[in-house]
């Protein structure tokens, strides 16, 4: 069943060209920051970060490995509890390595803060955060990403990895979902 985008998307918040340009700039900043470091591990948070991480990794010019974690802190399904449950863990040891958490969006900050502390306890040299989208209005835990693609308003967004009920991740842009779709 094909869905007409006009029925679900209120507006395109960030178009594909803007995403590509910004991610390229972020990759250049990452390259510069880590140029003299060893053992960079990109840790993508599934499933939302996959498109951002793939695009970012293509422009990283230093040696790095790609890892993924699937974590959940939504015990009741609507609000993050901050109690992180690891569904899929890292496949490699990160002790002594530089870790860059690759996130699609930072909302309350609860899950990301708990995850960052967990990775630090595992012996990483450093744990930095890069996010495609940041919603500072929703922040409950004081956490600041090291690199941010775009600060966005408190809207329900989909596309470029972000979903609603596992749909719309494949959109090549970030769009605001119409309220009637999710309410």
């Amino acid at each position: 069943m094909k869905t007409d985008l006009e029925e679900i998307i209120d507006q395109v918040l960030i178009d594909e060209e803007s995403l590509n340009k910004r991610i390229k700039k972020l990759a250049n900043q990452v390259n510069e920051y880590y140029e003299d470091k060893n053992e960079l591990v990109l840790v993508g948070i599934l499933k939302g970060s996959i498109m951002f991480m793939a695009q970012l990794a293509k422009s990283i010019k230093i040696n790095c490995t790609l890892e993924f974690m699937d974590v959940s802190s939504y015990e009741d399904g609507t609000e993050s509890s901050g109690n992180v449950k690891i569904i899929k863990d890292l496949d490699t040891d990160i002790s002594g390595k530089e870790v860059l958490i690759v996130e699609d969006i930072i909302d309350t900050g609860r899950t990301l803060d708990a995850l960052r502390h967990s990775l630090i306890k595992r012996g990483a040299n450093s744990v930095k955060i890069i996010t495609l989208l940041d919603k500072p209005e929703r922040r409950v835990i004081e956490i600041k990403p090291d690199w941010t693609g775009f600060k966005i308003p408190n809207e329900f967004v989909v596309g470029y990895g972000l979903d609603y009920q596992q749909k719309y991740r494949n959109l090549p842009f970030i769009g605001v979902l119409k309220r009637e779709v999710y309410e």
Side-chain angles (χ1 to χ4, degrees):
M1 183 172 146
K2 190 174 175 183
T3 304
D4 185 3
L5 286 181
E6 291 177 3
E7 292 176 19
I8 59 160
I9 300 296
D10 191 37
Q11 67 170 322
V12 173
L13 194 61
I14 307 165
D15 64 42
E16 186 175 11
E17 182 180 346
S18 298
L19 284 165
N20 290 335
K21 283 181 183 177
R22 183 66 184 133
I23 293 168
K24 183 80 168 163
K25 284 183 183 178
L26 288 170
N28 289 338
Q29 292 170 354
V30 168
N31 286 330
E32 186 177 312
Y33 182 82
Y34 288 106
E35 72 182 344
D36 295 330
K37 309 268 196 251
N38 290 334
E39 304 271 354
L40 175 61
V41 181
L42 301 180
V43 178
I45 308 305
L46 295 172
K47 298 179 186 169
S49 72
I50 194 136
M51 292 184 66
F52 174 43
M53 183 149 152
Q55 188 73 25
L56 181 72
K58 287 193 289 185
S59 295
I60 290 183
K61 304 298 181 205
I62 57 177
N63 288 331
C64 66
T65 57
L66 307 182
E67 282 286 335
F68 292 94
M69 291 183 79
D70 191 357
V71 297
S72 176
S73 67
Y74 289 85
E75 292 170 355
D76 67 358
T78 57
E79 190 68 33
S80 172
S81 67
N83 297 322
V84 174
K85 177 182 174 189
I86 297 175
I87 298 163
K88 190 245 177 267
D89 207 345
L90 300 174
D91 292 329
T92 58
D93 179 10
I94 60 166
S95 59
K97 298 176 183 175
E98 309 297 326
V99 173
L100 180 58
I101 298 173
V102 181
E103 185 66 284
D104 56 348
I105 187 167
I106 301 176
D107 197 49
T108 65
R110 286 183 177 127
T111 304
L112 191 56
D113 186 58
L115 181 60
R116 181 172 53 95
H117 286 297
S118 171
L119 295 176
I120 290 168
K121 284 180 185 174
R122 295 182 192 197
N125 267 357
S126 70
V127 177
K128 301 289 186 187
I129 299 166
I130 187 167
T131 187
L132 181 60
L133 305 175
D134 188 8
K135 270 194 209 181
E137 292 177 51
R138 296 262 305 149
R139 199 78 84 246
V140 172
I141 299 289
E142 192 57 42
I143 189 164
K144 189 174 191 283
D146 297 280
W147 296 278
T148 301
F150 301 90
K151 284 188 178 176
I152 64 168
N154 188 18
E155 298 283 353
F156 196 122
V157 292
V158 295
Y160 211 77
L162 290 102
D163 74 301
Y164 172 66
Q165 296 181 340
Q166 300 300 323
K167 297 177 197 159
Y168 316 121
R169 291 186 193 276
N170 61 316
L171 298 176
F173 58 83
I174 303 291
V176 176
L177 196 62
K178 286 187 176 181
R179 285 198 179 279
E180 57 265 25
V181 174
Y182 62 90
E183 285 185 344

